Amino acid sequence: MPTFARASWWRFLPSQLLEKFTIHFFDARHGTDTSTFADLAGLAIASENKRHGERYQPSPVHSLRQVLRRLGIRHADFSFVDFGSGKGRTLLIAGELPFRRVIGVEFSEELHCRAEQNIARYRRRKAGEVTAVHADATRFDLPPGDLVLYFFNPFAHAVLQQVLANIDAALRAQPRKVILVYLYLPDEAWLAPLHGFCLREYWHKYHILEYTPASACCLTA
């Protein structure tokens, strides 16, 4: 077998082909605009954290749907928060499930406005509410109640540290059940500011961690 074929065989798995299909037809099917990447250098962003941000890249469709369904939770008991929500594709997919609320946090006004347009166009909503918030993630206050927190490598370590410190402080003030999903985590050590989270599962590049008020385990338990 040629070297290229040995290195690329996984690209032809049924799951990968289905992922490519769903990504390619997502916007055409729903009348949305979520697929095009966006570099932050070309966007007017007032936050001093612009230099720590990553370009907008939409989440995969098929695998994200699978992850959210395999969490094993009653979705209506949870709010979902996407940090660095960009044009809102993740919000649309999460909104297909009956979450109490789905909230996206985005510091680019241009991407935030595009997300609002996409939310208005999407017709497969089962969540109680789907909203986009124009805010710097380091200044966003978590909503009350149980949460699913989602990160698709949205910003550099410097910003993530601040966001995780805010999450940790919020959970100390109001303990509740929280599941954190991180796609393409650059380094597990980045999650060190979190306390009481256990690594529940690693699946298809998704780190899935869980916090409960009584938890005292480490991330690698």
Side-chain angles (χ1 to χ4, degrees), residues 68 71 73-82 94 98-103 127-129 140 142-150 176-179:
L68 296 182
L71 293 180
I73 61 174
R74 184 176 181 271
H75 293 90
D77 293 337
F78 286 75
S79 293
F80 178 96
V81 180
D82 178 18
F99 283 106
R100 180 190 305 154
R101 297 177 65 193
V102 172
I103 305 167
E129 180 183 6
F140 175 76
L142 293 180
D146 296 342
L147 300 170
V148 174
L149 308 178
Y150 180 79
R176 56 278 198 32
K177 187 169 183 178
V178 177
I179 296 174

Side-chain angles (χ1 to χ4, degrees), residues 29-175:
R29 179 179 182 184
H30 300 292
T32 53
D33 175 16
T34 66
S35 297
T36 307
F37 291 15
D39 288 318
L40 300 187
L43 301 174
I45 300 173
S47 170
E48 66 276 11
N49 286 320
K50 178 178 181 179
R51 61 193 176 96
H52 297 301
E54 302 289 347
R55 70 173 180 174
Y56 165 73
Q57 180 175 340
S59 291
V61 178
H62 176 64
S63 65
L64 179 57
R65 283 174 173 155
Q66 287 186 294
V67 163
L68 296 182
R69 285 177 169 83
R70 67 188 284 134
L71 293 180
I73 61 174
R74 184 176 181 271
H75 293 90
D77 293 337
F78 286 75
S79 293
F80 178 96
V81 180
D82 178 18
F83 288 92
S85 50
K87 298 181 182 181
R89 177 187 284 178
T90 295
L91 307 181
L92 306 182
I93 294 172
E96 296 172 355
L97 295 169
F99 283 106
R100 180 190 305 154
R101 297 177 65 193
V102 172
I103 305 167
V105 184
E106 174 56 50
F107 72 166
S108 162
E109 184 175 8
E110 182 176 335
L111 297 181
H112 161 73
C113 291
R114 187 61 53 86
E116 289 190 316
Q117 294 169 358
N118 289 326
I119 291 168
R121 293 171 182 165
Y122 206 64
R123 295 290 176 260
R124 294 185 60 179
R125 196 185 94 183
K126 292 184 179 179
E129 180 183 6
V130 180
T131 57
V133 176
H134 180 217
D136 187 301
T138 64
R139 298 182 176 89
F140 175 76
D141 293 327
L142 293 180
D146 296 342
L147 300 170
V148 174
L149 308 178
Y150 180 79
F151 298 81
F152 180 14
N153 199 26
F155 25 67
H157 186 214
V159 172
L160 182 64
Q161 280 188 309
Q162 297 178 59
V163 173
L164 296 184
N166 292 343
I167 292 172
D168 187 61
L171 296 184
R172 291 176 187 272
Q174 184 192 30

